[in-house]
Amino acid sequence: ELAQRLQGRALGGWGLLQLAAGTGLAAYAVWAAVLMPGFRRVPLHLQVPYVPSNAQQVANAMALLEGRSGKMVDLGSGDGRLVIEAYKRGLRPAVGYELNPWLLRLSKYRAWKAGCDGKVSFLKQDLWKVNLSDCYNVTMFLAPSVKSPLAAKLLAELPDEARVVAGRFPFPSWTPSSTIGKGLDQAWAYDMKEVRQAAQRSAEGSPV
């Protein structure tokens, strides 16, 4: 409709301003209706916007979990693609934690479409309040701003045998056990036993 209205018309400065305002309001309307629900209960500095992972990012994350077993969780699971792929690769149970109700519905639809309906779980829970003590494979594609507080939670709760895979951005204070990919497709794997040992050496002031 917008294209039809603009066809054959020259836009002046005021017209361009109206167009920019209109498209901006439309984008905000989508954000407010679809992506904002669920964020309202989370402190601003701990909120993480939804940015879907691409096929290469998913493949890299799964490569770092290859050959592993046990419970897998995706923190801020978005549309569910990582959880579904993990289940297909034998990581079970596979669980996604997500607050946004629209993304939870999308996740369940994707699971049904992939033949995983009832085999994977998507839970409306705040990742900051979930107990991770029984999780052995943890994935996340979260913003750098939440990595430091999240590192403290993971150190406090995860078992030594757990592996954490971070996509797009690494944990700034942790040394990865392995990494794969480049740029925003890069993923980092952290083995919690090694992370704890490094933290202990640092606290004791001994050389690495």
Side-chain angles (χ1 to χ4, degrees):
E1 181 183 353
L2 181 60
Q4 292 175 349
R5 289 173 57 189
L6 294 177
Q7 190 173 11
R9 293 176 56 184
L11 289 178
W14 174 244
L16 288 172
L17 181 60
Q18 287 179 310
L19 177 61
T23 54
L25 287 173
Y28 176 78
V30 172
W31 162 257
V34 179
L35 300 181
M36 187 181 291
F39 280 168
R40 297 186 181 95
R41 293 175 294 171
V42 180
L44 182 62
H45 69 286
L46 296 181
Q47 292 182 8
V48 180
Y50 166 61
V51 180
S53 50
N54 62 41
Q56 188 59 58
Q57 290 169 345
V58 173
N60 287 344
M62 292 300 104
L64 293 175
L65 294 177
E66 187 174 358
R68 293 182 58 82
S69 60
K71 183 177 181 179
M72 175 272 182
V73 298
D74 186 26
L75 303 180
S77 54
D79 61 13
R81 63 186 67 191
L82 276 166
V83 174
I84 294 169
E85 187 62 29
Y87 177 84
K88 290 179 177 179
R89 294 180 182 234
L91 292 172
R92 302 170 185 178
V95 181
Y97 293 111
E98 175 62 54
L99 279 178
N100 189 293
W102 294 98
L103 292 176
L104 285 169
R105 292 186 182 97
L106 178 58
S107 299
K108 293 174 182 178
Y109 168 75
R110 289 175 63 95
W112 170 80
K113 190 175 180 181
C116 300
D117 186 33
K119 300 175 182 177
V120 295
S121 300
F122 296 102
L123 305 177
K124 187 179 180 182
Q125 294 187 34
D126 185 348
L127 66 87
W128 299 102
K129 299 177 181 178
V130 171
N131 188 324
L132 302 174
S133 60
D134 64 343
C135 302
Y136 292 89
N137 304 281
V138 181
T139 60
M140 66 198 68
F141 281 74
L142 301 176
S145 59
V146 304
K147 288 295 175 64
S148 292
L150 185 58
K153 176 179 174 63
L154 298 176
L155 275 170
E157 297 180 10
L158 288 178
D160 278 347
E161 298 80 11
R163 168 167 279 200
V164 175
V165 174
R168 297 195 187 109
F169 305 104
F171 283 89
S173 60
W174 290 2
T175 300
S177 304
S178 56
T179 185
I180 186 174
K182 296 181 179 180
L184 288 179
D185 291 340
Q186 189 169 1
W188 296 260
Y190 304 91
D191 293 322
M192 291 309 299
K193 185 174 182 179
E194 294 180 8
V195 171
R196 286 195 175 96
Q197 289 173 343
Q200 184 176 1
R201 288 195 298 267
S202 178
E204 294 172 350
S206 60
V208 177

